[in-house]
Amino acid sequence: MTTLERLAEWKAVGTISQAQHDTLVALVRKERVSVYFELSALLYLGVLSFVGGLGWTMRAYVVNLGDAAILSVLTAIVAAAFYYCFAKAGPYANTEVESPNLALDYVLYLGCLVLSSELGYVEYRFHIFDHWHHHLLIVSVIFGALAYRFDNRFVLSLALSSLAGWLGLRISGFDVVSADPLRFTALIYGAFVAGIGTWLSGQGIKAHFLDVYLHLATHVVLAALASGIGEPGMGLAYLAALLSLCGASIMLGLRYRKFAFVTYGILYGYGAISFKLLEVLGGPTEIFFYGVTTGTIVLIALVVLARRFGREE
């Protein structure tokens, strides 16, 4: 039996999906195979490495270079990046817009990261915001506007993450000792992100961005609730809320064919239940067998669901 025949057999029995079959057949026949995602990942890593190098240079040579030289270089990079993006991009549209070339998304990402670094450097050196870290709020607004202007999900993620960072730092700025205010802020933030994303999608404004909002909101809310299940007194309330939302995530994920949300619900729910059960289990042997047995069951369940989603899509 040839390799192509085996691949056809595996596709027929559901071992591999149609997309996987097509990719493997192209490799066997030595046809051209797209490496777009691999190149994209390398380019994004290259941008991150470049910005990381800039940050290291600023910290290591700030005395020798001086504030004026560092800020001049950073401003020039930001200005050049944004000029390129506005010059090359097409007009704004509420629908999904394809990037005119491969470089634009990465140049935009570079400009945003360097801008964030520059504002952080200004705050670090001159404290113009009186240690309130309002530069995170500023970049959040700027990144959000740029994400919609250039239809870029990565920049939208930066905007939402910067907003989350600003909220966390603002709460900690009041020297709050209890974690409950942080959890409450995280829950409000998650609800706000999910709500604004749903509203914008309903208005027909970049409806394809909705997944970005929902992924982030789901993680934040579930993580906030999971962090409270060990609290005395309120732990059971956090656990009940977490399991309820995990169940909703699983059901909605199945209904709307979003496997990631099914995975979130299963993993967060499994982690929460395991945490409570491990409190009452005896010695290390019981814990070991519990972890191996239940972990295997959860893994098999995820694999089966992934194959089911793959066949139906």
Side-chain angles (χ1 to χ4, degrees):
M1 180 179 291
T2 65
T3 303
L4 294 177
E5 291 172 341
R6 287 188 182 277
L7 291 174
E9 181 181 341
W10 290 347
K11 185 187 70 171
V13 299
T15 303
I16 58 176
S17 65
Q18 180 66 48
Q20 292 171 328
H21 173 267
D22 294 341
T23 300
L24 292 173
V25 167
L27 289 173
V28 172
R29 291 175 175 172
K30 298 182 179 180
E31 299 174 353
R32 292 183 177 180
V33 178
S34 173
V35 292
Y36 174 80
F37 292 106
E38 291 79 1
L39 288 176
S40 297
L42 289 175
L43 286 171
Y44 275 115
L45 287 175
V47 170
L48 291 173
S49 299
F50 177 77
V51 175
L54 281 178
W56 177 84
T57 302
M58 287 188 298
R59 290 193 301 269
Y61 298 102
V62 61
V63 176
N64 295 331
L65 296 176
D67 294 326
I70 291 176
L71 291 176
S72 297
V73 171
L74 295 179
T75 301
I77 294 174
V78 172
F82 289 162
Y83 173 80
Y84 175 85
C85 293
F86 279 99
K88 296 295 184 180
Y92 171 81
N94 283 331
T95 56
E96 186 171 5
V97 178
E98 185 177 354
S99 180
N101 57 61
L102 183 64
L104 189 142
D105 288 338
Y106 307 101
V107 173
L108 175 64
Y109 195 55
L110 172 65
C112 290
L113 290 179
V114 175
L115 174 62
S116 180
S117 301
E118 182 174 10
L119 290 176
Y121 179 84
V122 169
E123 170 60 17
Y124 169 74
R125 294 289 294 170
F126 305 110
H127 309 298
I128 61 175
F129 299 119
D130 194 23
H131 301 285
W132 275 102
H133 300 280
H134 288 325
H135 65 279
L136 289 175
L137 180 60
I138 294 173
V139 298
S140 176
V141 174
I142 295 174
F143 291 171
L146 291 172
Y148 275 81
R149 172 60 184 86
F150 297 108
D151 203 333
N152 192 293
R153 291 179 176 86
F154 275 97
V155 176
L156 178 60
S157 298
L158 285 178
L160 297 176
S161 301
S162 298
L163 178 60
W166 176 76
L167 287 172
L169 289 171
R170 187 169 178 82
I171 291 295
S172 64
F174 287 109
D175 295 325
V176 176
V177 176
S178 173
D180 285 331
L182 284 173
R183 293 193 190 99
F184 180 73
T185 301
L187 294 176
I188 295 298
Y189 169 80
F192 169 77
V193 168
I196 193 68
T198 302
W199 181 78
L200 289 172
S201 176
Q203 298 299 311
I205 303 174
K206 300 294 184 185
H208 55 288
F209 278 178
L210 180 59
D211 279 353
V212 177
Y213 288 98
L214 294 182
H215 279 289
L216 181 59
T218 301
H219 272 302
V220 169
V221 171
L222 294 181
L225 293 175
S227 69
I229 62 177
E231 293 289 332
M234 291 294 294
L236 291 179
Y238 281 117
L239 177 63
L242 175 62
L243 293 180
S244 298
L245 290 181
C246 285
S249 179
I250 293 171
M251 289 188 296
L252 292 174
L254 291 172
R255 178 180 178 183
Y256 292 102
R257 316 307 309 156
K258 300 292 184 180
F259 178 68
F261 294 95
V262 178
T263 304
Y264 300 155
I266 292 175
L267 293 181
Y268 275 101
Y270 168 71
I273 293 173
S274 298
F275 179 84
K276 301 303 290 186
L277 288 177
L278 290 176
E279 291 181 344
V280 299
L281 287 177
T285 303
E286 293 180 358
I287 295 176
F288 173 77
F289 279 109
Y290 169 82
V292 171
T293 303
T294 58
T296 302
I297 293 173
V298 169
L299 180 60
I300 292 174
L302 289 175
V303 171
V304 171
L305 284 172
R307 289 183 175 180
R308 176 184 170 187
F309 272 72
R311 287 196 299 268
E312 293 181 0
E313 292 176 358

